Amino acid sequence: MGAALALVGVSPAHAAGPAYVALGDSYSAGNGAGNYDSASGDCHRSFSAYPYLWKNAHAPSSFADTACSGAVTSDVLNNQLGPLNSSTGLVTLTIGGNDAGFSDVMTTCVTGSDSDCVNRVNTAENFVRNTLPGRLDAVYNAIHAKAPSAHVVVLGYPDMYTLNTFCIGLSATKHAKIDEAADVLDTTTAARAAAHGFSFGDVRSTFKGHELCSGDAYLHSLVISPSWESYHPTATGHSNGYLPVLNAND
C-alpha cells in the first residue's frame, strides 16, 4: 500500500485530515453525552462528543482534545492551547457561556420567580454585550498566534426551549428569557468570530424542533445525578446537532 501511494505521489499524511485540536467548555467536552473518558477526570470529555465524532469520520493526521467542563475564557488561554502549533489545520471551540454565568442563570431560573430569572438573564446579557467581546478577542488572538494556518470554527449554543407549546416545568416567561440569552450570546460570539476571520457554526438551526419541550429533545433538562449533565446536549445532540454544523464549516 505504501509503495502504491508513493507511485501516485500521495503520502499517508496527505491522505489524512488536517491536524485537529478541540478546545472549549462543557458543550465541546461532551457533558451529557455519556461514554466519558475516565482519564479526563472532572473535564468530563466524552467519546460521543462532536470532536471525537469528527475525528472518527475524518481521520486527522493528529488529534488533541483539551475541552473541559466549566471552562471560561481564561481557562482556554491558560490551560488548553498547548497542542496548537504551526501545523494545526483545524481548531474548534465553544466558549463564553460560563463567563456569562450559564450555570447560575439556570439555577436562578429553576429555583426563583419569573422576575428573578428575568433579572439574572438581563445581568448575563449585559455582560455578554459589554465584557465578553474583549475576552473572546483575547482567546481568538491567542489561537491565531499559536496556530496561524488553522481554520478555526467557533460553534455556538442552542436555544434551550421550544416556545409556545405546553410544557411542564418552568414558565413560558422563563423559557423565552433563557432562549433570548442564548440568542444574545450567539450573536455576540458570531460577530467576534467573523472579525477574526473565523467561521461561526450556528447550531440553533439543527436543534430547531429538538429543544426542551419539543417532545424530541437533543438536550437534557434537570438531571439529579450527575447534576453536571443538566441542560447539556445528549449524544444525539452531538451527532445530529453539533456534528452536521461542524461538517458544514470545516
Side-chain angles (χ1 to χ4, degrees):
M1 180 67 174
L5 287 168
L7 285 173
V8 296
V10 179
S11 71
H14 290 148
Y20 172 32
V21 178
L23 312 171
D25 56 23
S26 55
Y27 272 64
S28 293
N31 287 27
N35 195 21
Y36 299 110
D37 178 3
S38 59
S40 69
D42 290 341
C43 287
H44 306 306
R45 286 190 283 269
S46 168
F47 294 120
S48 297
Y50 76 82
Y52 280 91
L53 298 178
W54 192 94
K55 174 187 77 79
N56 294 340
H58 295 83
S61 56
S62 65
F63 173 70
D65 183 2
T66 57
C68 192
S69 173
V72 295
T73 48
S74 60
D75 293 316
V76 175
L77 289 169
N78 296 329
N79 305 319
Q80 296 189 14
L81 302 182
L84 297 177
N85 57 53
S86 59
S87 67
T88 303
L90 175 66
V91 177
T92 62
L93 75 158
T94 55
I95 200 68
N98 291 322
D99 292 76
F102 167 75
S103 178
D104 186 60
V105 166
M106 293 309 302
T107 298
T108 300
C109 290
V110 168
T111 62
S113 65
D114 280 4
S115 61
D116 291 335
C117 179
V118 168
N119 290 336
R120 181 63 185 90
V121 169
N122 285 340
T123 298
E125 290 178 351
N126 286 334
F127 175 91
V128 169
R129 292 188 177 103
N130 298 313
T131 303
L132 185 62
R135 295 191 182 188
L136 294 176
D137 286 342
V139 171
Y140 299 164
N141 285 334
I143 291 171
H144 180 71
K146 289 182 174 291
S149 300
H151 175 52
V152 182
V153 181
V154 179
L155 292 150
Y157 299 93
D159 285 331
M160 199 65 64
Y161 294 97
T162 294
L163 303 180
N164 304 315
T165 185
F166 175 75
C167 187
I168 297 173
L170 303 186
S171 67
T173 296
K174 291 178 178 179
H175 290 168
K177 196 65 177 177
I178 291 167
D179 279 5
E180 178 188 292
D183 293 340
V184 170
L185 180 56
D186 282 335
T187 298
T188 299
T189 302
R192 297 322 307 152
H196 289 261
F198 296 167
S199 296
F200 179 73
D202 192 341
V203 300
R204 287 173 294 182
S205 58
T206 48
F207 277 81
K208 184 71 174 177
H210 300 283
E211 305 96 339
L212 297 176
C213 303
S214 67
D216 185 24
Y218 289 174
L219 295 149
H220 293 284
S221 58
L222 184 64
V223 177
I224 302 302
S225 180
S227 59
W228 42 264
E229 290 190 334
S230 299
Y231 305 111
H232 285 83
T234 62
T236 304
H238 280 270
S239 62
N240 292 0
Y242 271 90
L243 184 62
V245 174
L246 175 54
N247 283 335
N249 286 275
D250 65 12

